[in-house]
Structures are given as C-alpha cells and as structure tokens.
Amino acid sequence: MTDILDDLQWRGLIAQHTDIDALREHLNAGPVTFYCGFDPTAASLHHGHLVQILLMRHLQLAGHKPLALVGGATGQIGDPRQSGERQLQPTEVVRGWADNLRNQISRFLDFEGPAAATMVNNLDWTEELSAIDLLRGIGKYFRVGTMLGKDIVARRLASDEGISYTEFSYQILQANDFLELHRRYGATLETGGNDQWGNMIGGVDLIRKVDGEVSHVLTTPIITKADGTKFGKSEGGAIWLDPTMMSPYAFYQFWLQVEDADVVRFLKIFTFLDRARIEELEVEVAERPHARAAQKALAAEVTKLVHGEEEFERVLGATNALWGGGDLRAIDADTLASATSDLPRATVKLGEATMVDALVETGLEKGRGAARRTIASGGAYLNNVKFEDAEAVFTADDVLAGHRLLIRKGRRNLAVIEFDD
C-alpha cells in the first residue's frame, strides 16, 4: 500500500509538520491515535472543515484512530481572527452548535472496528479547571514572549483593535487539549489547518515539558485558487455543509463552477478518487475542457460525500431538468426553489396571465409585440415544453411544486413565474 504521507503529499493535504522522518516512522510503526479539533463558532461546518475531516478519514483508512474533538469550551472563546474580536455567544447557543457539529462529523468517520473513531468534548476537562489550576498547572509552561510572537497575535497587537486576554489565552487551552488527549487516549498526533500551526506546536511543547514525551503535528494548507485568492465563498457566504444553510443544489452548483486551473487539484483534496482516475480527468481537462468532465466528477463526489447518494440524484435530476429539458414536475419544492433562486421572476395572477405577460413581466422580452413573435417562432417554453398559444392563460395544471412555474426563451434564458394569491 502507498505510504500514507506520500499519498497525502500527492493530494496536496500537507502544509507543515514536525520532523517528517520521525512522523513517518511513527505512523508506520502501528496504529496512531490522533485528533483534530472543531470549534462550534457557527451552526455548521464549512468546506474548510471538510479538508480536515477528509484528512482524518484518509488516516483512518490507513489504520489510525481518530479523536474528533468538538470544542464545547474553546468554542465559547473562539481562536483569534485577523478581522478582529469575535462576538462571544451565549453558552446555550454554543452547546446547540456543538451538537450540530458532532452530528455532521459523525457521518464521515467510522465508529466501529479496529480504527474506530471517538467523539470528545474539551468542556469535559476544561470546566473542571480552576483559575489556580490553569495558572499553576499549565500557564507556568508558557512564555509570554513566545505567545506574543505567534503570527495572528502579532497582527492583532499591531491593529487598532488589539487583542483581548480572552482570545490571547486560547492557545493555552488548545495546547492543554492535546495534553489531556495524550493522557486520556494516548494521542500522539494533532492535525488541523495551517493557520493553527502555532497553537498546535504549543501542545507539542507542553507535552514535552510536562510529560517528557514526543508528539507530532501535521497541518493542511489554506486552500486557495490558482490566482492566489482564497477558495470557498459563494454569493451567499461560506460553503456550509448543513443543507438548511446551503441547499444541496447550490452546493453542487458551487463545485460545478470550479475553474479548469483548479479542478484537478481540488479533485485530489476533496475526493477519494484514486490517482489513476484523477489522471484520466486531468487529460480530459487538457484535451476536452468544454466537456467539464472533471468539474462534474468533483461536484458529484463532494455532493455525495456531504449530502448522500439520494440527495445527489435529486440535485442531478433538478440540474438536468432545468438545463437539459427534463421533467420539472419530478423536482420537489425545496430543490426547485434553490435551483431557481437566482433567476429573474415575476408575480402574476393564476387564471389571468398569459405567456406574453410572463415574458414581458420577467424581462425576457422588452415588449408584448416581441413576446408574441417569440411565441410564434417557437422560442417560448413553459416548464420545458414548447408553448405556442399566445392567448392561453396559465392554469393550476401548469403549476410546479412550490406554487411556481418556469418559462424559457430560447435555450438558456430562464425565468420564474410566481402567483399572487
């Protein structure tokens, strides 16, 4: 079997690490217990967290044992951000978000078998710490100069806003998490995003100083596009994994729009496709980019991974129906609403409005004369069916799920008609 570090390196999933030779020897010596932390600073994980989960899954498939830590304690503080101080959320809100994250993470890892994953919460040991315990038992091992030198801390100190002691202390709590998991579960490796490198090294140092033992760190890169800009923003914000915060249809469409310059790299990072298949898709990008085979494979794999096979089939059906002339009546109301959310729309009265009204009201045509000519020439479609009677009004039989219908001018100009009750 391919060495796990070699495979992770090929996939672009390694940014920084402690002694790579020692880490390789450690991983090859037998099952390693490792952990990755997820703070509930929002109600859902996003695509950046997905990178960490996929790294965990790769390690688990190689026989290593994951500890998925949800930060019930650290989530109440939040690690320092470049953009300024976090707004502290009420404890009950953080608790609810932590439950959401546990449910999301649990779908990606195996919790049975020799490499069974374990869910942990750092509130279990952090809430037992008194201020004296924290200062005497942990704080004495940290040097303020080193803490001030951390990149994000230095940036915040140089900003107009500065940094509070609350966020400044976050690195101590994260280091203590590694120490606790080392003692409780034998964890010897922490994984995480590259922006957490300083905090993660703090845990390695703490374990060495307190217990005199060696541990390791492995970070993933911050995912950027080929032009150097950060990857992962849609018009609606972050690429959330929760279907109530980003619909499966919108999620699928986001991955479908990845640029040719990025798609092969993202196939390596965000899917479990093997090297041979990814190399085949790389040839497709080079020789037949118009077919967008790599983008379709990426969107399919990530959507199935996050939302499941059944939801992917529903989304694919909606995509084909919307743009390929399929059966729009087979699409459920939520998927149809998401699929048409960015289209021009108009509200009319059912039983009174005609296709002429619809074309003009939605802006697909500039006037009624032009609308009539489009209909007469066979260029108007109602729910993917050619519509030829300019005088016919829309009826309840035309209505799709969600009390709407879809009109089209030509091949690609779509709009939504909604009805005034």
Side-chain angles (χ1 to χ4, degrees):
M1 186 177 69
T2 302
D3 181 278
I4 182 61
L5 289 182
D6 289 342
D7 185 57
L8 295 176
Q9 190 73 58
W10 174 77
R11 289 183 178 276
L13 282 169
I14 298 178
Q16 294 189 81
H17 46 73
T18 45
D19 187 324
I20 191 66
D21 292 330
L23 177 57
R24 188 184 302 276
E25 182 179 351
H26 186 51
L27 290 169
N28 289 338
V32 167
T33 298
F34 68 97
Y35 98 94
C36 184
F38 302 86
D39 274 346
T41 52
S44 171
L45 299 172
H46 54 65
H47 78 290
H49 299 113
L50 183 59
V51 177
Q52 310 312 319
I53 294 172
L54 293 176
L55 175 64
M56 296 179 77
R57 182 62 178 153
H58 281 295
L59 287 168
Q60 185 178 43
L61 289 171
H64 305 294
K65 301 177 181 180
L67 301 172
L69 183 149
V70 175
T74 46
Q76 297 186 51
I77 296 173
D79 59 320
R81 300 181 303 174
Q82 293 186 25
S83 57
E85 196 81 10
R86 291 182 183 273
Q87 179 180 349
L88 298 183
Q89 299 294 332
T91 300
E92 60 272 17
V93 170
V94 175
R95 187 179 298 115
W97 288 354
D99 289 340
N100 292 349
L101 266 57
R102 276 194 294 271
N103 291 334
Q104 287 183 323
I105 295 168
S106 65
R107 294 189 286 105
F108 295 93
L109 302 172
D110 286 337
F111 289 82
E112 297 180 354
T118 302
M119 298 290 297
V120 294
N121 187 336
N122 59 18
L123 188 63
D124 292 345
W125 53 84
T126 306
E127 68 178 348
E128 298 174 354
L129 281 174
S130 69
I132 296 298
D133 292 335
L134 179 66
L135 294 173
R136 283 178 58 88
I138 302 168
K140 69 177 180 179
Y141 295 103
F142 288 81
R143 293 295 171 262
V144 172
T146 302
M147 296 174 70
L148 291 173
K150 299 287 177 63
D151 181 60
I152 187 63
V153 173
R155 292 187 188 185
R156 286 284 297 277
L157 285 172
S159 69
D160 292 337
E161 187 174 2
I163 186 170
S164 71
Y165 180 76
T166 299
E167 288 195 352
F168 181 64
S169 67
Y170 182 94
Q171 55 188 297
I172 297 178
L173 295 180
Q174 183 170 337
N176 186 54
D177 288 343
F178 199 175
L179 177 63
E180 286 290 337
L181 293 175
H182 178 70
R183 290 173 168 176
R184 294 176 182 227
Y185 297 93
T188 52
L189 169 65
E190 180 181 2
T191 65
N194 203 39
D195 55 344
Q196 292 294 311
W197 171 260
N199 292 344
M200 294 162 72
I201 286 296
V204 170
D205 291 340
L206 183 61
I207 290 170
R208 176 178 53 81
K209 291 175 181 177
V210 176
D211 288 351
E213 297 183 11
V214 175
S215 55
H216 304 272
V217 161
L218 181 68
T219 68
T220 59
I222 304 303
I223 307 303
T224 58
K225 296 185 287 187
D227 62 9
T229 59
K230 191 172 181 180
F231 172 70
K233 288 289 184 181
S234 69
E235 292 183 5
I239 311 305
W240 300 111
L241 306 191
D242 187 325
T244 66
M245 296 175 67
M246 185 177 195
S247 74
Y249 180 87
F251 185 85
Y252 174 80
Q253 292 296 323
F254 170 81
W255 296 98
L256 201 60
Q257 300 308 314
V258 166
E259 298 289 340
D260 289 347
D262 296 312
V263 67
V264 173
R265 184 162 51 92
F266 292 169
L267 280 166
K268 295 177 182 178
I269 293 171
F270 290 101
T271 80
F272 289 97
L273 293 178
D274 61 27
R275 188 177 301 215
R277 179 57 181 146
I278 291 175
E279 288 174 350
E280 288 175 0
L281 290 166
E282 188 171 14
V283 172
E284 289 283 336
V285 173
E287 297 181 353
R288 292 172 291 277
H290 59 279
R292 300 187 70 78
Q295 282 86 349
K296 291 175 183 177
L298 175 65
E301 292 298 316
V302 182
T303 303
K304 285 188 284 188
L305 181 70
V306 172
H307 296 296
E309 185 80 34
E310 184 177 340
E311 196 63 55
F312 164 70
E313 293 296 337
R314 185 178 291 114
V315 164
L316 187 61
T319 301
N320 292 336
L322 201 62
W323 301 106
D327 184 10
L328 289 168
R329 295 187 182 279
I331 306 175
D332 63 274
D334 289 342
T335 302
L336 186 61
S338 176
T340 60
S341 61
D342 294 330
L343 296 179
R345 64 193 57 236
T347 301
V348 300
K349 287 189 178 295
L350 186 64
E352 296 182 12
T354 66
M355 178 62 81
V356 172
D357 299 321
L359 289 170
V360 174
E361 291 295 324
T362 57
L364 294 187
E365 286 293 4
K366 294 183 178 180
R368 300 181 68 82
R372 290 180 182 279
R373 288 191 292 274
T374 294
I375 297 168
S377 65
Y381 295 81
L382 172 65
N383 300 333
N384 282 340
V385 177
K386 188 176 291 187
F387 197 87
E388 298 177 330
D389 187 350
E391 305 304 324
V393 299
F394 300 137
T395 70
D397 292 338
D398 300 318
V399 179
L400 302 172
H403 205 55
R404 59 174 61 82
L405 54 80
L406 190 74
I407 63 170
R408 175 159 52 92
K409 173 192 171 185
R411 293 185 63 185
R412 307 297 291 179
N413 298 303
L414 295 170
V416 176
I417 293 297
E418 296 170 330
F419 297 104
D420 185 346
D421 293 336

